[in-house]
Amino acid sequence: MTLLSPVCRSNKSPWVCLTCSSVHCGRYVNGHAKKHYEDAQIPLTNHKKSEKQDKPQHTVCMDCSSYSTYCYRCDDFVVNDTKLGLVQKVREHLQNLENSAFTADRYRKRKLLENSSLNSKLLKVNGSTTAICATGLRNLGNTCFMNAILQSLSNIEQFCCYFKELPAVELRNGKTAGRRTYHTRSQGDSNVSLVEEFRKTLCALWQGSQTAFSPESLFYVVWKIMPNFRGYQQQDAHEFMRYLLDHLHLELQGGFNGVSRSAMLQENSSLSASNKCCINGASTVVTAIFGGILQNEVNCLICGTESRKFDPFLDLSLDIPSQFRSKRSKNQENGPVCSLRDCLRSFTDLEELDETELYMCHKCKKKQKSTKKFWIQKLPKVLCLHLKRFHWTAYLRNKVDTYVEFPLRGLDMKCYLLEPENSGPESCLYDLAAVVVHHGSGVGSGHYTAYAVHEGRWFHFNDSTVTLTDEETVGKAKAYILFYVEHQAKAGSDKL
């Protein structure tokens, strides 16, 4: 089913007004749905109160993809219905339309799949057929932060394959077995598994479905175990990623339903013991792939005492150097372009701690001025780099909109290692796998999308919409989170 905005003819993010049934594009496309509401408002100075009550206000609309309902007057998503259940009737009507359109498309899709060689060729030359392999994620109400992270992780092959190969866990028995359930915030079911819902979501992606997958079951589990992400307000994608990886790690350590996931990890020959980095207990696939180790070196400037501490990490948060913060685009002429290497250098350079961060020197037995330097003691299989674009100033959290140039392949991390001489020539090289981008001005607003490479092709993931793109477009993105994977040696090499 394809719905078009009558104003701009866009089929992206369609919203239907529940007052007049007109369809318009969402605020992150051209904003005509919101303009439709604004145009319907009556100036307070020209009309009496009784007249305002009689005329429809066109305040409530429904997302034609996720079927979530939004009120522009309240500026929030609506969870209740009318006494006659009119909202649910509209939702069911839209679902029936979508099912009818899906049935009509099934025959055309089957014809394309009959000839695999032809289908492969079409994927490379005809952008409209990319939906055969790439599946979008429905926005459940400002859940673009979650969708961008899920799409990025689904394209990290070794991480994704581990979860997809896990045996399914049956969470429901008896009358509810095999039946689709719709969860609400008030449900008291504590028998939930983040690993299982994460596995189901990854399995649903890249299966060739032309209909966007709805991650509502996963989002329900997120609400249950991560209270910070309850509700439908915009969230920080990096914060969500950290919570997600931490909770996956904790659940994998304990196992679920009597099956030890850590035991399965130990049997996986591709994740050897030498590649494991323990964070909060035993190693899991999370730490085996994302885990690295930092050496934190602090020197007292008074007596010269040196203190060394090793800290495990799953990602590195990098400041954008202050001298580049006015540079907002790649082609802007005022000064050099900030590069990812500049951010890494700023992270690992020797730094003198200020008065608020005095070091407690054990030799001097009091807090002293000191210097601090980070070294990377062990690099992870997947290097996750978070660019710190949001900063608190007084009572506001502002965004640093600086463009940061980053390599799509061949990122060399050798110069940041504690012992670079012990590393092979290609063991420190990384290639880009995915990028998360924040569009907008603040962390509590805006929109998240992701770019990721799959089987040599770059895709842009914008909630339900997935489009084929190119390296040039990816390179121009204002990255928020970068996922780099270890550079793979060419076939025929002697790498073990």
mmCIF file of all heavy atoms in Angstrom, residues 135-158:
data_model
loop_
_atom_site.group_PDB
_atom_site.id
_atom_site.type_symbol
_atom_site.label_atom_id
_atom_site.label_comp_id
_atom_site.label_asym_id
_atom_site.label_seq_id
_atom_site.Cartn_x
_atom_site.Cartn_y
_atom_site.Cartn_z
ATOM 1 N N THR A 135 15.305 -4.965 5.060
ATOM 2 C CA THR A 135 14.026 -4.723 5.719
ATOM 3 C C THR A 135 14.147 -3.559 6.684
ATOM 4 O O THR A 135 15.090 -3.489 7.469
ATOM 5 C CB THR A 135 13.569 -5.985 6.486
ATOM 6 O OG1 THR A 135 13.440 -7.060 5.549
ATOM 7 C CG2 THR A 135 12.242 -5.757 7.178
ATOM 8 N N GLY A 136 13.175 -2.661 6.641
ATOM 9 C CA GLY A 136 13.159 -1.529 7.551
ATOM 10 C C GLY A 136 12.538 -1.896 8.887
ATOM 11 O O GLY A 136 12.000 -2.996 9.076
ATOM 12 N N LEU A 137 12.608 -0.954 9.847
ATOM 13 C CA LEU A 137 12.014 -1.130 11.171
ATOM 14 C C LEU A 137 10.989 -0.032 11.405
ATOM 15 O O LEU A 137 11.279 1.149 11.195
ATOM 16 C CB LEU A 137 13.099 -1.075 12.257
ATOM 17 C CG LEU A 137 14.019 -2.277 12.373
ATOM 18 C CD1 LEU A 137 15.203 -1.959 13.271
ATOM 19 C CD2 LEU A 137 13.254 -3.478 12.922
ATOM 20 N N ARG A 138 9.816 -0.407 11.829
ATOM 21 C CA ARG A 138 8.772 0.572 12.070
ATOM 22 C C ARG A 138 9.114 1.457 13.266
ATOM 23 O O ARG A 138 9.670 0.990 14.255
ATOM 24 C CB ARG A 138 7.429 -0.123 12.316
ATOM 25 C CG ARG A 138 6.793 -0.662 11.044
ATOM 26 C CD ARG A 138 5.452 -1.292 11.346
ATOM 27 N NE ARG A 138 4.793 -1.708 10.114
ATOM 28 C CZ ARG A 138 3.677 -2.416 10.075
ATOM 29 N NH1 ARG A 138 3.095 -2.783 11.199
ATOM 30 N NH2 ARG A 138 3.131 -2.748 8.925
ATOM 31 N N ASN A 139 8.775 2.720 13.164
ATOM 32 C CA ASN A 139 8.932 3.652 14.269
ATOM 33 C C ASN A 139 7.711 3.529 15.163
ATOM 34 O O ASN A 139 6.589 3.769 14.735
ATOM 35 C CB ASN A 139 9.068 5.084 13.734
ATOM 36 C CG ASN A 139 9.534 6.052 14.805
ATOM 37 O OD1 ASN A 139 9.029 6.030 15.932
ATOM 38 N ND2 ASN A 139 10.480 6.896 14.466
ATOM 39 N N LEU A 140 7.927 3.147 16.424
ATOM 40 C CA LEU A 140 6.833 2.918 17.355
ATOM 41 C C LEU A 140 6.463 4.162 18.145
ATOM 42 O O LEU A 140 5.678 4.098 19.085
ATOM 43 C CB LEU A 140 7.208 1.784 18.330
ATOM 44 C CG LEU A 140 7.656 0.481 17.674
ATOM 45 C CD1 LEU A 140 8.053 -0.535 18.735
ATOM 46 C CD2 LEU A 140 6.581 -0.078 16.767
ATOM 47 N N GLY A 141 7.049 5.298 17.744
ATOM 48 C CA GLY A 141 6.831 6.552 18.464
ATOM 49 C C GLY A 141 8.145 7.075 18.990
ATOM 50 O O GLY A 141 8.537 6.783 20.121
ATOM 51 N N ASN A 142 8.882 7.816 18.163
ATOM 52 C CA ASN A 142 10.215 8.338 18.510
ATOM 53 C C ASN A 142 11.203 7.227 18.857
ATOM 54 O O ASN A 142 12.069 7.409 19.722
ATOM 55 C CB ASN A 142 10.125 9.331 19.678
ATOM 56 C CG ASN A 142 9.674 10.705 19.233
ATOM 57 O OD1 ASN A 142 9.955 11.132 18.111
ATOM 58 N ND2 ASN A 142 8.964 11.413 20.095
ATOM 59 N N THR A 143 11.090 6.076 18.210
ATOM 60 C CA THR A 143 12.034 4.976 18.458
ATOM 61 C C THR A 143 13.097 4.885 17.371
ATOM 62 O O THR A 143 13.727 3.843 17.213
ATOM 63 C CB THR A 143 11.294 3.630 18.566
ATOM 64 O OG1 THR A 143 10.534 3.415 17.366
ATOM 65 C CG2 THR A 143 10.369 3.604 19.761
ATOM 66 N N CYS A 144 13.318 5.983 16.652
ATOM 67 C CA CYS A 144 14.362 5.976 15.620
ATOM 68 C C CYS A 144 15.741 5.745 16.225
ATOM 69 O O CYS A 144 16.629 5.186 15.583
ATOM 70 C CB CYS A 144 14.337 7.278 14.822
ATOM 71 S SG CYS A 144 14.475 8.774 15.825
ATOM 72 N N PHE A 145 15.938 6.168 17.499
ATOM 73 C CA PHE A 145 17.227 5.938 18.169
ATOM 74 C C PHE A 145 17.506 4.447 18.289
ATOM 75 O O PHE A 145 18.642 3.994 18.108
ATOM 76 C CB PHE A 145 17.227 6.600 19.561
ATOM 77 C CG PHE A 145 16.289 5.961 20.555
ATOM 78 C CD1 PHE A 145 16.730 4.961 21.404
ATOM 79 C CD2 PHE A 145 14.971 6.350 20.628
ATOM 80 C CE1 PHE A 145 15.866 4.366 22.315
ATOM 81 C CE2 PHE A 145 14.098 5.772 21.531
ATOM 82 C CZ PHE A 145 14.542 4.773 22.369
ATOM 83 N N MET A 146 16.474 3.661 18.587
ATOM 84 C CA MET A 146 16.620 2.217 18.706
ATOM 85 C C MET A 146 16.786 1.573 17.333
ATOM 86 O O MET A 146 17.633 0.685 17.150
ATOM 87 C CB MET A 146 15.394 1.629 19.420
ATOM 88 C CG MET A 146 15.405 0.114 19.545
ATOM 89 S SD MET A 146 13.993 -0.563 20.445
ATOM 90 C CE MET A 146 12.712 -0.393 19.187
ATOM 91 N N ASN A 147 15.996 2.025 16.352
ATOM 92 C CA ASN A 147 16.069 1.449 15.009
ATOM 93 C C ASN A 147 17.444 1.621 14.386
ATOM 94 O O ASN A 147 17.967 0.709 13.739
ATOM 95 C CB ASN A 147 15.004 2.088 14.110
ATOM 96 C CG ASN A 147 13.592 1.714 14.527
ATOM 97 O OD1 ASN A 147 13.398 0.790 15.312
ATOM 98 N ND2 ASN A 147 12.612 2.425 14.016
ATOM 99 N N ALA A 148 18.044 2.810 14.563
ATOM 100 C CA ALA A 148 19.368 3.071 13.985
ATOM 101 C C ALA A 148 20.425 2.146 14.581
ATOM 102 O O ALA A 148 21.297 1.623 13.865
ATOM 103 C CB ALA A 148 19.752 4.536 14.194
ATOM 104 N N ILE A 149 20.362 1.906 15.888
ATOM 105 C CA ILE A 149 21.327 1.019 16.548
ATOM 106 C C ILE A 149 21.097 -0.429 16.115
ATOM 107 O O ILE A 149 22.053 -1.165 15.814
ATOM 108 C CB ILE A 149 21.222 1.145 18.079
ATOM 109 C CG1 ILE A 149 21.663 2.545 18.533
ATOM 110 C CG2 ILE A 149 22.056 0.079 18.773
ATOM 111 C CD1 ILE A 149 23.106 2.891 18.211
ATOM 112 N N LEU A 150 19.844 -0.864 16.051
ATOM 113 C CA LEU A 150 19.542 -2.246 15.658
ATOM 114 C C LEU A 150 20.000 -2.530 14.232
ATOM 115 O O LEU A 150 20.578 -3.590 13.953
ATOM 116 C CB LEU A 150 18.046 -2.514 15.785
ATOM 117 C CG LEU A 150 17.476 -2.519 17.206
ATOM 118 C CD1 LEU A 150 15.960 -2.698 17.177
ATOM 119 C CD2 LEU A 150 18.120 -3.614 18.048
ATOM 120 N N GLN A 151 19.767 -1.594 13.310
ATOM 121 C CA GLN A 151 20.201 -1.787 11.931
ATOM 122 C C GLN A 151 21.720 -1.829 11.846
ATOM 123 O O GLN A 151 22.293 -2.609 11.065
ATOM 124 C CB GLN A 151 19.640 -0.687 11.031
ATOM 125 C CG GLN A 151 18.130 -0.711 10.856
ATOM 126 C CD GLN A 151 17.646 -1.836 9.959
ATOM 127 O OE1 GLN A 151 18.374 -2.762 9.644
ATOM 128 N NE2 GLN A 151 16.389 -1.746 9.534
ATOM 129 N N SER A 152 22.401 -0.999 12.631
ATOM 130 C CA SER A 152 23.874 -1.005 12.630
ATOM 131 C C SER A 152 24.411 -2.341 13.139
ATOM 132 O O SER A 152 25.285 -2.953 12.524
ATOM 133 C CB SER A 152 24.408 0.142 13.485
ATOM 134 O OG SER A 152 24.009 1.397 12.972
ATOM 135 N N LEU A 153 23.876 -2.813 14.267
ATOM 136 C CA LEU A 153 24.347 -4.071 14.845
ATOM 137 C C LEU A 153 24.020 -5.260 13.947
ATOM 138 O O LEU A 153 24.776 -6.241 13.905
ATOM 139 C CB LEU A 153 23.725 -4.276 16.224
ATOM 140 C CG LEU A 153 24.137 -3.278 17.316
ATOM 141 C CD1 LEU A 153 23.400 -3.571 18.619
ATOM 142 C CD2 LEU A 153 25.644 -3.299 17.538
ATOM 143 N N SER A 154 22.911 -5.173 13.209
ATOM 144 C CA SER A 154 22.537 -6.284 12.323
ATOM 145 C C SER A 154 23.502 -6.437 11.160
ATOM 146 O O SER A 154 23.516 -7.473 10.498
ATOM 147 C CB SER A 154 21.116 -6.075 11.783
ATOM 148 O OG SER A 154 21.094 -5.084 10.774
ATOM 149 N N ASN A 155 24.306 -5.419 10.892
ATOM 150 C CA ASN A 155 25.272 -5.476 9.795
ATOM 151 C C ASN A 155 26.700 -5.733 10.272
ATOM 152 O O ASN A 155 27.635 -5.648 9.484
ATOM 153 C CB ASN A 155 25.204 -4.171 8.989
ATOM 154 C CG ASN A 155 23.978 -4.129 8.106
ATOM 155 O OD1 ASN A 155 23.933 -4.745 7.050
ATOM 156 N ND2 ASN A 155 22.956 -3.405 8.553
ATOM 157 N N ILE A 156 26.858 -6.029 11.554
ATOM 158 C CA ILE A 156 28.149 -6.499 12.073
ATOM 159 C C ILE A 156 28.059 -8.020 12.074
ATOM 160 O O ILE A 156 27.477 -8.638 12.977
ATOM 161 C CB ILE A 156 28.426 -5.928 13.465
ATOM 162 C CG1 ILE A 156 28.505 -4.399 13.373
ATOM 163 C CG2 ILE A 156 29.722 -6.491 14.037
ATOM 164 C CD1 ILE A 156 28.641 -3.707 14.696
ATOM 165 N N GLU A 157 28.598 -8.623 11.041
ATOM 166 C CA GLU A 157 28.299 -10.011 10.694
ATOM 167 C C GLU A 157 28.548 -11.007 11.819
ATOM 168 O O GLU A 157 27.685 -11.805 12.162
ATOM 169 C CB GLU A 157 29.114 -10.408 9.451
ATOM 170 C CG GLU A 157 28.772 -11.786 8.937
ATOM 171 C CD GLU A 157 29.527 -12.116 7.659
ATOM 172 O OE1 GLU A 157 30.326 -11.284 7.191
ATOM 173 O OE2 GLU A 157 29.315 -13.210 7.125
ATOM 174 N N GLN A 158 29.724 -10.960 12.437
ATOM 175 C CA GLN A 158 30.054 -11.965 13.442
ATOM 176 C C GLN A 158 29.149 -11.843 14.669
ATOM 177 O O GLN A 158 28.699 -12.843 15.237
ATOM 178 C CB GLN A 158 31.522 -11.819 13.860
ATOM 179 C CG GLN A 158 32.057 -13.012 14.633
ATOM 180 C CD GLN A 158 33.548 -12.905 14.865
ATOM 181 O OE1 GLN A 158 34.118 -11.825 14.732
ATOM 182 N NE2 GLN A 158 34.168 -14.010 15.225
#
